[in-house]
Structure formats: C-alpha cells, structure tokens
Amino acid sequence: MNRWIMGALALAGWITTGMAQAQELIVEKKIFELPSFTTQSGRTLKQVRVGWESYGTLNADKSNAVLICHFFSGNSHAAGKYAAADPQPGYWDAIIGPGKAIDTDRYFVIASDTLVNLNTGDPKTTTTGPASIDPDTGKPYGLDFPVVTVRDFVEVQKALVESLGIKRLALVAGPSMGSLQTFEWAVSHPEMVAKAMPVIGAAEADAMLIGWLDVWAAPILVDPDWNGGDYYGKAPPLAGLAKALTAVTLQANHQDWANATFGRRPAKEGEEPGKALANRFQVQSVLDNAGMARAKLSDANHFLYLIKANQLFAAGGISLADGMAKIRAPMLYITQPKDLVFTPDMVARTVKAAQDAGRDVTHVTIDGVRGHLDGVMSMKQAEGAIRAFLAK
Amino acid sequence: MNRWIMGALALAGWITTGMAQAQELIVEKKIFELPSFTTQSGRTLKQVRVGWESYGTLNADKSNAVLICHFFSGNSHAAGKYAAADPQPGYWDAIIGPGKAIDTDRYFVIASDTLVNLNTGDPKTTTTGPASIDPDTGKPYGLDFPVVTVRDFVEVQKALVESLGIKRLALVAGPSMGSLQTFEWAVSHPEMVAKAMPVIGAAEADAMLIGWLDVWAAPILVDPDWNGGDYYGKAPPLAGLAKALTAVTLQANHQDWANATFGRRPAKEGEEPGKALANRFQVQSVLDNAGMARAKLSDANHFLYLIKANQLFAAGGISLADGMAKIRAPMLYITQPKDLVFTPDMVARTVKAAQDAGRDVTHVTIDGVRGHLDGVMSMKQAEGAIRAFLAK
C-alpha cells in the first residue's frame, strides 16, 4: 500500500500515526446487549447490541473509568491491537495505553460502538441499525428503523457503563462525532461526567454542516441500488456509498495535505487527464479507490442514519447557551484550526457559549496538514495538555 | 419567491444585488458561429456556436473593447435586461453599464457563452457541447464530444472578438470560472490583453479543488438516468444533476450566510427533523429545491465537461511560474477571503507567483456573507478599485 492510499484510508481508523510501543495493549472485542431500548424518537427496540473494548483495570471503588466515543466512520477500536501482528493499533493509541496521556495503568478505558455504526461488514464491529434483523419480523429493519440521535448513542453507552457498576466517569472523550457524544454526555448526565475532552467537534451542528452532510449523502440517494433503503439480500448501493465516503475523506482532510501529497499528477503515467474524459488526476483515483474499499465494509442506510444523527445534533437537544449551562465537568476542548468539517467559527461559538455560561473550559489547538483528521491522527501533540488536564 | 430561495438561486445569476438604475441597458442576445473549430485535444468540430451580448459602442479604432467571461453555472448575460420588465439584470450589472465602473458610455463590453455551457434549457443561452447535434451524425454528441479546456473557451472568444475587427482588448475580466478564462487570456494571448481583472479565482486548480469538483459531479455519475452520458431523447439524470447543483450552491456560499439565513429551523413548521427520516431542516429543502429548479434548465453532460475543464485548468497549460512570466497585462485581482471554492491559500499562491514574476498585480478583497458568491453579487464594493485600475 503506497503512502497516498495510506493517507486517504486513515479516516477509517485503519491506520494511525501512533508509533509502535514497547508495551502494547492486546485487546478483545466484547458485546453488550440491552433486551430493550427506547429511542428519543419513542420507539422501543429489542435486543440492542453494541461492541465494546476496554483497556486497563477497573479499580475497587469503580472511580477510574474513562469512556472514549468514536468518530463518524470509526468504531470502538480506540487503542491497542487484537493481535501483536495487527498492522495498526486503534485510532487513538497515541494517547491511550500504559504510561500514555490517558494512562491505562491508572484508568479503566471503555470504548463502544455506536448505534447505526457504519462498519457493518467489519467482523470487529457490532451495532444495531437498519441492517440489523428486527426480532419481530426476522428481517432487516431497513428504513423502518427509527431515527436515532447522539443522545441515543449516549444512553446505550450509559447502560453499558452502569452494567459494569460504574456510577461516574473520570473522563468522557472522543474526536469528531465522538466529541458530539462527549458534549451530549456532559449536558445530559452532568452528574456522571467528572471531566470532558471533546476533540475536533462542536456542541451544535450549524446550518452549513447540515448542508454539507447532505452533500455527503447525495450519491447514495441517487444510486438505484439504494432502492429507498430496501436492498438487503440484493445488490447494495456500492457506487453511491463509495462516492459518499470519497466526499467524507476529502472534507475530513485539508488542501495542505491534498496539494502536498498529489499535486496535479495524473493517476497513470502517460494517461494525461486532458486527453480523455476518463483519464484522471491521482487525487481523484486515490480518493475513489479509498471510498470503494470502505464502501465494501459499510452499510449505506447506516451512513444515512449517521448523517441524520449528526444533522440533528445540538447538545441536550436545547440551545447552545442552555446546554452549556447544564455542564458541570471541566472541559479540555481540542480543535484544529484547519478543520473543514467543524469549522473554526463553529468552534468559536462553542467556546464562547461555554465561557459565557461560566464553564471551566481549556481550549487548545493542534496543528498539521490533515485538518479535521489531525484530531484522530495527530493527537500525540496534545499529550501534555491531556496529562495536565487529567492531573488537575 | 421568499428571500431564502432568492439567496440560494443567486448562483444562477438569475438574481443579483445590482440595484435598478435610472438608465437601464436593454440588450439582445446574438449568436456567433465558427464553421470549424479545433480543440486543444485535437478534434475538429463543425458549426460551433456560442451566444453573446454587447453593451456600449465599439469606437472607430476598435480600442475600447472589454471582454467579460462567465462563471461555472452562468452565461453571457453579464449586464442589462432583455426587456425593461425583466425582474433582474445580468449578474455583474452593478459594475457594468452607463456611468458604472466598467462604463458602457466609454467601453464596448462583450460577453459570450462558453462551450459546454450548463444552461442548455435556457433559450437565452447558445452553446456547443455534448447536448448539441453533431452535424456529421444528426445526433447529439453525448460523450463523443471531445474534452474541452478553458483554453478552448478562450479560443472561441478570440475568434468572436477578431470577427468584430478587434485586435486588442482594453480589459478581460470575469468571476470564478470567468477568472480562469481571464488568466488564460492573459497568459496565452498577452499581446491582446491590455488589462486583466480576474475575480474570485486562481491561476491554477489545486488538488483539493480537483477533489471538490469530483464531489460535485458524483451524484450525476451514480444516477441511472445518466446512462454513461447517453440520455438524449430519454429521461435525463435530473435527480443527480439537482444534487450536483445543490453541492455547487452550498460551496459557493459561506456558513455566515447559511447560519444567518436558515439557522436550525425545520423546513416545515410542526415537522421536526428528529421525528422522521424524511423531515428536514430548511437549509436542506431550500438548497434541494434550488438545485432541482436549476437542473431542469441544465444538462448533466455539460456539467461533467465543465468539471473536467475546471480540473484541467492551469493557466497556459504550464506551471504557475511559467504562466505568470508570460503575462504582460497589469492585473486587478479581486478575491473574497471567505471563498470556499478558490480558497485563500490558492489565491495567495497566485499572488505570490505573479509578484515573483514581477507582474503588475493589485490584489484587493471584498467582503460579505456569501463567500465565493460575493464575487458575483457584491461587486459594487470593488467599484472604486475598478475605476482606479481602468484609469491608470
């Protein structure tokens, strides 16, 4: 795999910049099942299952638990490896592990898959969503699955955490959509969150982000194989989902990366893009290939439900000011000024609302050429800030 | 039509902020035909036709001609009205007209449709592209139409200009894709361009823009009605083209506009977006409706050929440094720092290359909440700079 493809694929969390550590975590995927779960939209689902992992050991008084929430296209593999031979560890391995910023010698770190997780084709992901079998009908839910929200993701995590006897989390943290869950936790269950670390996100999706998320979804809706969401047992809308994932990958990156990595090179030597409609630039073929590789392991309806959950997001389902007023946890808010998804002005509104509400918020920025993705790939930069935040 | 739809449609050039003037230009659409035209890609096309307009009077020594080049989804209607009752004048009417910055009492202003112009369903647009009848076969070209470039657009304009006996243009100007044509003119025909005024563009498309243009095109490629470009006489890929135009409209705007105009309001009172998958926010429905309205007058293959021309663009087909070295015209370069299409860093590279080559370039910025679109809608701000530039 060449370095360009590696770069494009990094969104998947398949590849991170985390260096191999002498002392590696070996982790196992577990499954949590709720016999019954009622969504914010009022539907009761049976046998709701999500995958989860943990790193470190829960202490006797159960006061050392940390919850890590994953990003849009990620899953609960936040740190460590399933086997020593795995090519890459979990996506935040640079800051989670023995002796690392989120020190698993000290903390019991939990990470769980969300509802409607994208990676239905990945055996290491367990989720409940439109692709799951409805126990009442024996068939996939399809679009009969109810709308779910970031709050629903949080409520499932809360049930998981409580099933372990944990009453309060020492830290809730996550990048991107993981930061939305972090804000939601801090607003909806302030008594359960001792500290919060939202990364590359904001406490509310603005109109522009709602619009962008529709741009991501558009190719799925137009793909005839999507068929109004009814494609289980038939050909899935692979072409549309691949194009959707291409858009995600592009916007999650930054021009500094695209220009430095691809420039205006043709995809194939000798096939100049100007010579034929089908001849392409390298940036086009790499992004498309990465999108298709991801699409084969993903579900298009889950993508659309994730889009909806992100569009609906406003922490606590209330105004930014009212949401911030409910938070009790000190916050370490880590963002990247080149972020094209959660833009600096969205971040600034969140910071201002937190400050106006008198919250204890420390805002630090990280740098890099990946833009949004630096919040997944370049977190080592924030190590000092995280250690200081956890120590205070 | 409510103000939100007006905003979203403004990209079409249907609506501008140009105020009605006491002294209005009444213009007529004309057609220019080339019996034969050979593209940069080496194909000779017969009967190449483009529409054009002019404002003002060509002087005796034919030294007062100005050429205005249109943007991606625009056409040659740059100023004036076809009839006094027209709801809106041409897109740059704020700066083109009697006594205005580009003063038609003084200049003879020409504006022409490009090849592969998007607006094939608009009776006021004339263009040659995949939707045109190939005189050799009596059928639409479809994807048999050759790849065309911004240089091809310029060569057709050059033939038009020369057919009027004009040997040198006092000014070449245009917004967005019009600025690409402006740069191309200045690099490829330096002896013919006395002054150049590129607006909200750059002298080279970077890797990121190439990627974004693919995101715009994606829904067309996935639409089954696109059918590999073979849809003439059948149902056109309206759904895909509408989604493509929605993406264009969003990226041509800015979050300051989206947030102030739509916020998180639902599309319909009482139909909360969280209640059902189909319930939407206002920003979603307005953008989709605007995209569909545009799609009905547009051609999907033309859209794809325009995407290709923009992706291929590097002024002169050479490096930025080599291109700038060829320019002789003083330049007034007008950009908008909030531009999400031609980003500030792409603009900065163009400015630096011009300065490094010792070019006479004046860079001014305009402001507003529309981002890229301010270069179409808010040009009155640049009036003083344009007058000073033309006077020097």
Side-chain angles (χ1 to χ4, degrees):
Chain A
M1 186 151 48
N2 69 38
R3 68 188 172 95
W4 299 295
I5 294 177
M6 283 180 65
L9 292 183
L11 183 66
W14 292 343
I15 298 166
T16 78
T17 54
M19 288 172 292
Q21 300 284 329
Q23 189 184 5
E24 263 180 356
L25 284 173
I26 296 298
V27 301
E28 61 167 337
K29 189 72 78 174
K30 294 167 272 196
I31 292 172
F32 173 67
E33 179 169 324
L34 273 173
S36 169
F37 176 76
T38 301
T39 65
Q40 296 292 305
S41 56
R43 270 273 293 283
T44 299
L45 301 168
K46 295 174 186 163
Q47 296 169 30
V48 166
R49 303 166 87 227
V50 293
W52 67 289
E53 304 184 357
S54 64
Y55 326 112
T57 307
L58 188 60
N59 62 9
D61 64 359
K62 301 185 175 180
S63 64
N64 71 334
V66 166
L67 178 70
I68 305 294
C69 309
H70 69 68
F71 52 99
F72 186 90
S73 60
N75 72 0
S76 55
H77 196 33
K81 295 182 170 185
Y82 300 121
D86 287 358
Q88 295 292 338
Y91 65 89
W92 261 10
D93 195 79
I95 55 164
I96 301 170
K100 296 183 186 174
I102 299 173
D103 186 353
T104 52
D105 289 338
R106 187 179 161 201
Y107 292 107
F108 175 63
V109 179
I110 303 162
S112 92
D113 298 332
T114 64
L115 296 172
V116 301
N117 184 291
L118 190 61
N119 309 283
T120 53
D122 168 13
K124 293 291 192 185
T125 300
T126 300
T127 188
T128 303
S132 306
I133 301 297
D134 178 352
D136 285 342
T137 67
K139 293 177 186 164
Y141 288 100
L143 295 201
D144 185 46
F145 198 78
V147 169
V148 288
T149 61
V150 170
R151 174 68 181 266
D152 289 316
F153 302 172
V154 164
E155 293 305 309
V156 173
Q157 288 162 350
K158 181 167 174 279
L160 164 62
V161 161
E162 289 175 341
S163 78
L164 300 170
I166 297 161
K167 295 202 162 45
R168 192 160 191 253
L169 293 159
L171 175 72
V172 179
S176 196
M177 191 178 80
S179 78
L180 309 191
Q181 296 164 71
T182 301
F183 280 119
E184 188 65 44
W185 261 102
V187 172
S188 298
H189 301 292
E191 73 292 350
M192 287 186 71
V193 183
K195 290 180 181 176
M197 188 179 90
V199 177
I200 53 164
E204 183 177 272
D206 70 359
M208 194 75 182
L209 180 57
I210 292 169
W212 278 123
L213 292 166
D214 265 10
V215 170
W216 294 5
I220 294 172
L221 301 178
V222 176
D223 188 329
D225 289 334
W226 179 60
N227 192 33
D230 180 13
Y231 55 81
Y232 298 108
K234 307 170 198 163
L238 209 54
L241 182 54
K243 287 289 186 187
L245 286 161
T246 296
V248 178
T249 305
L250 186 71
Q251 193 157 4
N253 273 289
H254 187 268
Q255 50 264 36
D256 285 354
W257 168 77
N259 295 333
T261 309
F262 306 109
R264 291 179 49 88
R265 269 192 300 278
K268 283 191 191 169
E269 196 84 34
E271 296 187 3
E272 284 300 318
K275 292 290 180 201
L277 210 57
N279 290 3
R280 296 187 302 165
F281 290 97
Q282 189 182 41
V283 63
Q284 301 178 273
S285 66
V286 169
L287 288 176
D288 271 353
N289 291 345
M292 184 52 83
R294 292 291 333 266
K296 288 176 178 165
L297 298 175
S298 303
D299 180 80
N301 284 337
H302 283 224
F303 188 100
L304 297 176
Y305 276 74
L306 281 171
I307 290 288
K308 184 77 169 180
N310 282 270
Q311 289 175 322
L312 289 172
F313 181 68
I318 50 183
S319 76
L320 202 47
D322 290 347
M324 288 298 154
K326 293 192 159 196
I327 294 177
R328 292 293 162 265
M331 288 181 277
L332 175 62
Y333 187 20
I334 302 175
T335 68
Q336 189 348 345
K338 289 178 188 158
D339 193 328
L340 301 178
V341 182
F342 290 95
T343 50
D345 52 326
M346 222 184 316
V347 168
R349 282 194 296 278
T350 296
V351 170
K352 183 175 185 306
Q355 288 170 340
D356 288 351
R359 297 288 75 85
D360 175 359
V361 57
T362 304
H363 182 209
V364 304
T365 60
I366 55 173
D367 193 18
V369 300
R370 306 302 297 256
H372 185 68
L373 268 180
D374 281 313
V376 177
M377 302 174 67
S378 312
M379 284 297 286
K380 187 102 176 140
Q381 285 177 55
E383 195 173 27
I386 298 169
R387 286 188 195 276
F389 177 65
L390 290 176
K392 85 175 179 183
Chain B
M1 185 150 51
N2 70 38
R3 68 191 173 93
W4 300 296
I5 295 179
M6 284 180 64
L9 294 181
L11 183 68
W14 292 343
I15 297 167
T16 80
T17 54
M19 288 172 291
Q21 299 285 327
Q23 190 186 5
E24 264 179 353
L25 284 172
I26 298 298
V27 303
E28 60 167 339
K29 188 72 78 174
K30 293 168 272 197
I31 292 172
F32 173 68
E33 179 168 324
L34 273 172
S36 169
F37 175 77
T38 301
T39 66
Q40 297 292 306
S41 57
R43 270 275 292 284
T44 298
L45 301 168
K46 294 174 187 163
Q47 298 169 29
V48 166
R49 303 166 86 228
V50 293
W52 67 289
E53 303 183 0
S54 64
Y55 326 111
T57 307
L58 188 60
N59 62 8
D61 65 358
K62 301 184 174 181
S63 64
N64 71 334
V66 167
L67 178 69
I68 305 295
C69 308
H70 69 69
F71 51 100
F72 185 89
S73 60
N75 73 0
S76 55
H77 195 33
K81 295 181 170 185
Y82 299 122
D86 287 358
Q88 294 291 338
Y91 65 88
W92 260 10
D93 195 79
I95 55 164
I96 301 170
K100 295 181 186 175
I102 299 174
D103 186 352
T104 52
D105 291 337
R106 187 176 162 202
Y107 292 107
F108 175 64
V109 180
I110 303 163
S112 91
D113 298 331
T114 64
L115 296 171
V116 302
N117 183 292
L118 189 61
N119 309 283
T120 54
D122 168 12
K124 293 291 191 187
T125 300
T126 300
T127 188
T128 303
S132 308
I133 301 296
D134 178 351
D136 285 343
T137 67
K139 292 177 187 162
Y141 287 99
L143 295 201
D144 186 46
F145 198 78
V147 169
V148 288
T149 62
V150 170
R151 175 67 181 267
D152 289 315
F153 301 172
V154 164
E155 293 306 309
V156 172
Q157 289 162 352
K158 179 167 176 281
L160 164 61
V161 161
E162 289 175 341
S163 77
L164 300 170
I166 297 161
K167 296 201 160 46
R168 190 160 193 253
L169 292 159
L171 175 72
V172 179
S176 195
M177 191 179 80
S179 79
L180 309 190
Q181 297 164 68
T182 302
F183 280 118
E184 188 65 44
W185 262 103
V187 171
S188 297
H189 302 292
E191 71 293 349
M192 287 186 71
V193 182
K195 291 180 180 175
M197 187 179 90
V199 177
I200 52 164
E204 185 175 272
D206 70 359
M208 193 75 183
L209 180 57
I210 291 170
W212 279 123
L213 292 166
D214 265 9
V215 170
W216 295 3
I220 295 172
L221 301 177
V222 175
D223 188 331
D225 289 333
W226 179 60
N227 192 31
D230 180 13
Y231 55 81
Y232 298 108
K234 305 170 200 164
L238 209 55
L241 181 54
K243 286 288 186 190
L245 286 161
T246 295
V248 178
T249 304
L250 186 71
Q251 193 157 3
N253 273 288
H254 187 267
Q255 49 264 36
D256 286 354
W257 168 78
N259 295 332
T261 309
F262 306 109
R264 291 178 49 88
R265 267 191 301 280
K268 283 189 190 170
E269 196 83 34
E271 295 188 1
E272 285 301 319
K275 292 289 180 199
L277 209 59
N279 290 3
R280 297 186 301 166
F281 289 98
Q282 189 181 41
V283 64
Q284 303 179 269
S285 66
V286 169
L287 289 175
D288 271 352
N289 291 345
M292 183 52 82
R294 293 288 337 264
K296 289 177 177 164
L297 298 174
S298 303
D299 181 81
N301 283 337
H302 283 225
F303 188 100
L304 298 176
Y305 276 74
L306 281 172
I307 291 289
K308 185 77 169 180
N310 281 272
Q311 288 174 323
L312 289 171
F313 181 69
I318 51 184
S319 76
L320 203 47
D322 290 347
M324 288 297 154
K326 292 193 159 196
I327 293 178
R328 292 294 162 264
M331 288 182 276
L332 175 62
Y333 186 21
I334 302 174
T335 67
Q336 186 355 343
K338 290 177 188 159
D339 193 329
L340 302 177
V341 182
F342 291 95
T343 50
D345 52 325
M346 222 186 314
V347 168
R349 283 195 296 277
T350 295
V351 170
K352 183 175 187 304
Q355 288 170 341
D356 287 353
R359 295 289 75 84
D360 175 359
V361 58
T362 305
H363 181 209
V364 303
T365 58
I366 55 174
D367 193 17
V369 299
R370 306 303 296 256
H372 185 66
L373 268 181
D374 281 315
V376 177
M377 301 175 68
S378 312
M379 283 297 284
K380 187 99 178 141
Q381 286 178 58
E383 195 173 26
I386 298 168
R387 286 187 195 276
F389 177 63
L390 290 175
K392 84 173 179 183

